[in-house]
């Protein structure tokens, strides 16, 4: 199963695999990759803002809401939540959203720069091929003159 999921670029932790089979094992014995990806994407959408270190989910052990910082592995249960902790979570979410936007714009600029570099290289390659063709055509009279001389010499020798 892990090789199959990795082949389709789906990475699942063991707890999620257990939940997946608990959900779909009752309906039919097949887990379709499209359904898996759809449900994973929807769960990632609700678990917390994209790029945020804080994830909000229901703790499987305690069955209550848990805030989990995946960077420093800090876990805060719902009854432990205080106003200053909530401010920290909101501040981290805002920072991470700005960082995510910046990363996306940097990646977009890098991709555009790479595309421009490839286009320039392709243009230079075509230009050099065209110049070589023109040079070959310009010097083709030498080749034709040499062939003509060879023919004349062959006729003279016969």
């Amino acid at each position: 199963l892990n090789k199959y999921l990795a082949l389709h670029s789906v990475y699942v932790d063991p707890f999620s695999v257990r939940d997946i089979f608990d959900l779909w094992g009752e309906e039919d014995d097949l887990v379709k990759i499209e359904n898996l990806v759809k449900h994973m994407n929807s769960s990632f959408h609700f678990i917390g803002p994209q790029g945020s270190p804080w994830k909000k989910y229901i703790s499987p052990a305690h069955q209550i809401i848990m805030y989990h910082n995946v960077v420093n592995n800090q876990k805060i249960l719902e009854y432990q939540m205080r106003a200053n902790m909530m401010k920290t979570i909101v501040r981290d979410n805002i920072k991470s959203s700005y960082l995510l936007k910046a990363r996306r714009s940097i990646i977009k600029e890098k991709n555009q720069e790479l595309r421009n570099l490839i286009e320039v290289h392709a243009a230079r390659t075509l230009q050099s091929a065209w110049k070589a063709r023109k040079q070959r055509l310009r010097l083709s009279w030498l080749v034709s003159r040499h062939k003509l001389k060879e023919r004349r010499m062959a006729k003279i020798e016969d």
Side-chain angles (χ1 to χ4, degrees):
L1 178 67
N2 287 338
K3 289 180 185 176
Y4 179 76
L5 294 174
L7 179 68
H8 293 285
S9 301
V10 177
Y11 301 99
V12 184
D13 61 277
F15 295 113
S16 298
V17 171
R18 185 192 67 208
D19 293 341
I20 289 165
F21 283 107
D22 286 346
L23 284 173
W24 281 312
E26 298 163 1
E27 298 172 12
D28 53 1
D29 292 335
L30 298 175
V31 177
K32 295 184 178 82
I33 196 72
E34 298 84 19
N35 291 339
L36 178 64
V37 171
K38 181 180 77 170
H39 287 290
M40 283 181 66
N41 288 339
S42 66
S43 70
F44 290 149
H45 176 72
F46 292 110
I47 201 167
Q50 192 174 14
S52 172
W54 289 96
K55 303 299 175 194
K56 176 184 171 185
Y57 55 89
I58 295 178
S59 169
H62 302 97
Q63 296 298 317
I64 58 173
I65 295 176
M66 175 191 285
Y67 297 90
H68 181 199
N69 187 333
V70 294
V71 175
N72 59 13
N73 204 23
Q74 180 184 3
K75 295 177 182 176
I76 302 171
L77 297 173
E78 185 180 27
Y79 64 86
Q80 297 170 331
M81 183 59 66
R82 302 288 180 260
N84 60 348
M85 292 177 190
M86 187 58 77
K87 285 180 186 177
T88 304
I89 291 172
V90 170
R91 189 179 316 117
D92 288 347
N93 287 346
I94 291 171
K95 284 180 189 176
S96 65
S97 69
Y98 284 126
L99 286 173
L100 185 66
K101 287 178 187 176
R103 279 189 212 117
R104 285 183 177 161
S105 67
I106 288 170
I107 289 170
K108 186 176 178 182
E109 289 171 5
K110 281 185 177 182
N111 288 340
Q112 184 62 38
E113 187 176 328
L114 178 64
R115 182 177 175 86
N116 290 342
L117 186 68
I118 290 171
E119 287 174 356
V120 166
H121 178 69
R124 286 183 180 160
T125 303
L126 285 174
Q127 285 173 349
S128 65
W130 182 255
K131 285 179 184 177
R133 180 182 181 276
K134 283 175 62 175
Q135 182 70 18
R136 195 174 58 246
L137 290 174
R138 201 173 327 137
L139 298 176
S140 67
W141 68 273
L142 288 172
V143 174
S144 62
R145 188 177 75 176
H146 183 69
K147 286 181 182 177
L148 185 61
K149 277 185 182 179
E150 285 180 354
R151 282 188 209 146
R152 285 185 185 166
M153 293 301 286
K155 283 184 184 179
I156 293 174
E157 291 176 359
D158 288 339

